[in-house]
Amino acid sequence: MPNHNHHQGSGIASHLRIPATADSHVEIRFADILQRDRYDPQGWRREALTAVAGESGWFEINLDALGLEDGDYEYEFIKDGAADTPIADPYAVHITRFGGYRGVFQIRDGRRWQQPFTWDDEFTDGNELRNNHRLVIYEMPMRWMESAPEKARQVGLGTFEKVVFAHLDRLKTLGINAIELLPVQDSPDTLNWGYGTRFFFVPDIDMGLPVELKFFVKHCHRRGIRVIFDVVMNHARNCPLAQLDYGRYFLSNEDEERSHRGEDYGARLFRYWPDDNDRTPARDFHLHMAEYLITEYHADGFRIDEFKGINHWEFIQQFRDHAWHAHQQAFPGRPFIVIAEDSWRRAVITHRRSENPNGRKVTDSMWNFAFRDELRRAFSGHLHTEWGEPSRRERIRWMVTGSRTWNDWSHRAEPGYYDLSQAVNYLTSHDVEQEEEKRIMNYLLAPLLDDRGFRGTVNDIRWVVDHLDGQADDQQRYLHGLALERLRSAFSLLMTSVGIPMLLAGDEFGDVHDLDHTNWRLKMSDPVDWERLDASPNSRNLWRKVAELIALRTEHPALIRNETSFFYFHPDFDRNDGARVFAYCRTRGATLGSAGQVVVIGNLGPQSYSRYNLPWHWMDLDIIEEIAPPQQHTLPERNDGGSVRVSLAPYQVRVFST
């Protein structure tokens, strides 16, 4: 059944209501939090909860009927007299930590109360929230957002307050208009990313109070930045639901559903198949969570972690539909999105097709793993094709347009996307464990160092980046600058390809790993080093170029539509030793050569061209503007016969606006 602990918006219900096994005896014990100097939970006041009539397995208590004095009370539940093993409230909206975790309720004038929060000043002129076709997402691990003191690592100090006052203005200047928060609901994973939620209705106690998360969201909105919450519904870690009613909410190894699910990551898998009475309490729990995050924290969307492991398309579709309905009821007309992380890469979940539940899409969008992988292969010279497989030019075309995706495991093309809002493209995500997944700057710089007789290990790259103004030699500084230039080119493709671009915090200035990213623990404990933004003029220059590209992506009319035309490939593009030059146009639905288009020229090979000739449809070069140009380049020059000549360095991409 739905839980009615919390009204939508600013009100809060007088009742606490929790699930427990039907034959349970449940009590609440509580004390004023100001009585910590006499902390003794065994001596706290206890009151029995009553069974909810007609709702087996639900218990409630009316706080307004207890005659309490005004104050803030910490509370926990006792099940079947087990006073030595108290249970926290899984629906708690405020928690405290002292000898364990407990909920907090507040009483004012004898009635349950919650701290008011005004959203009246949520928006400012000229900073409207952008629709999904204009999104540029900034993936933010909150724990990474504050560099550790004195370069100490394995410490995540990021909080909502630190981000508001130290980062939001710079992110606004960068131009991003959405932040995808890694899980911020309370988790026992203190130094990790938080992919093991404990309390689903309250922010992580180490990141800040509920009012501080609301303040963060409000101040994002005041800057025109949407906030997308990453939610973990595959599993939970130390969630009180397990103590209250394990069998209704979680799977055992003997359950048939368990064999249809994915990894549990050392946690407890939620139960999603209906029970014998066609009830789905775990689904109801997460639907209520979505509604609460929308109405209480003004969430602008969700990213669903471990879609593959949940393996229940009908439930995810139900979650998507419920979240959309709740959002439109609360905020009519505001944009919203539900994104899936499906590591099995099934783009069809974003399609309207008969094989999907109810013949409709399951989610609005999904992470496009194939874009990351194909782009990295292209920039490393490893985009290989075999006899009988699609050609190299087809794979580049698919990477840019998203019309198909390449599966390098099965060596075949798979369905792609028919609208740019369905694919979230990226260079790096937070999940950097595998060598081919590491931060894009490490990926680009390591082979350059290796080829010149240096080493490209994590430690060696970190040393180079942190000694650019001193001990690093001229060759190392040059290679660092070259890698940043190639990263600018990678961003040029990201921002002009068909899809929603996403960048990982720190990639905008070429941050690198400080810890061994192949270690599953250390990869999560490696905060962004913000000092590196100004470590070299090249790093700051990359940041400015990325800002230019983001401005183009969010404002140019051709980039908020799907139409794309490839108008050039080098004749030998498909030969293993052939040149890798290509060109495409985001046409805005107009004929090539029209105003208001974006033209991209790429050289994804090792050859250098001081003057490369290619066909050109925009002959008035005076109206052509180059966006985020490379540091070393020559302007396009017109040839006779409808062509131009341009300079192209190895692995360089150039972007022009008409």
Side-chain angles (χ1 to χ4, degrees), residues 466-567:
D466 288 340
H467 294 85
L468 291 170
D469 59 351
Q471 294 172 268
D473 65 25
D474 290 344
Q475 181 78 341
Q476 290 169 321
R477 281 192 287 271
Y478 166 75
L479 295 175
H480 176 260
L482 181 58
L484 286 174
E485 161 56 21
R486 293 185 180 179
L487 181 48
R488 180 205 62 81
S489 291
F491 270 111
S492 296
L493 283 181
L494 175 67
M495 295 298 166
T496 60
S497 292
V498 180
I500 297 173
M502 180 180 77
L503 58 151
L504 175 65
D507 274 1
E508 67 270 26
F509 59 87
D511 196 21
V512 298
H513 295 294
D514 290 283
L515 300 176
D516 178 8
H517 62 90
T518 66
N519 181 302
W520 72 271
R521 286 190 176 91
L522 296 183
K523 73 175 183 178
M524 293 187 276
S525 307
D526 191 356
V528 177
D529 190 334
W530 298 104
E531 292 181 6
R532 290 180 180 143
L533 173 56
D534 293 307
S536 77
N538 289 334
S539 299
R540 174 57 74 171
N541 183 64
L542 174 66
W543 189 93
R544 287 192 290 266
K545 301 295 187 185
V546 173
E548 286 184 52
L549 289 164
I550 291 174
L552 181 75
R553 173 62 183 82
T554 57
E555 300 299 336
H556 200 289
L559 296 181
I560 61 175
R561 297 172 55 135
N562 300 310
E563 300 94 344
T564 307
S565 175
F566 277 78
F567 63 89

Side-chain angles (χ1 to χ4, degrees), residues 196-270:
T197 308
R198 171 173 44 203
F199 295 102
F200 285 77
F201 293 82
V202 65
D204 191 277
I205 197 168
D206 295 310
M207 295 182 189
L209 297 170
V211 67
E212 292 168 337
L213 176 54
K214 294 174 186 178
F215 189 85
F216 168 82
V217 174
K218 180 167 75 169
H219 280 263
C220 286
H221 286 177
R222 287 177 58 81
R223 292 162 174 82
I225 298 172
R226 289 168 60 181
V227 181
I228 299 167
F229 285 69
D230 193 341
V231 290
V232 183
M233 301 190 293
N234 179 63
H235 55 274
R237 185 168 285 117
N238 299 350
C239 178
L241 285 172
Q243 295 170 272
L244 289 167
D245 200 346
Y246 188 102
R248 267 204 295 173
Y249 287 89
F250 297 103
L251 294 173
S252 68
N253 289 332
E254 291 72 38
D255 284 303
E256 182 185 354
E257 183 184 347
R258 181 64 186 88
S259 64
H260 295 263
R261 296 286 295 277
E263 293 185 57
D264 61 15
Y265 300 97
R268 296 182 173 96
L269 293 177
F270 279 104

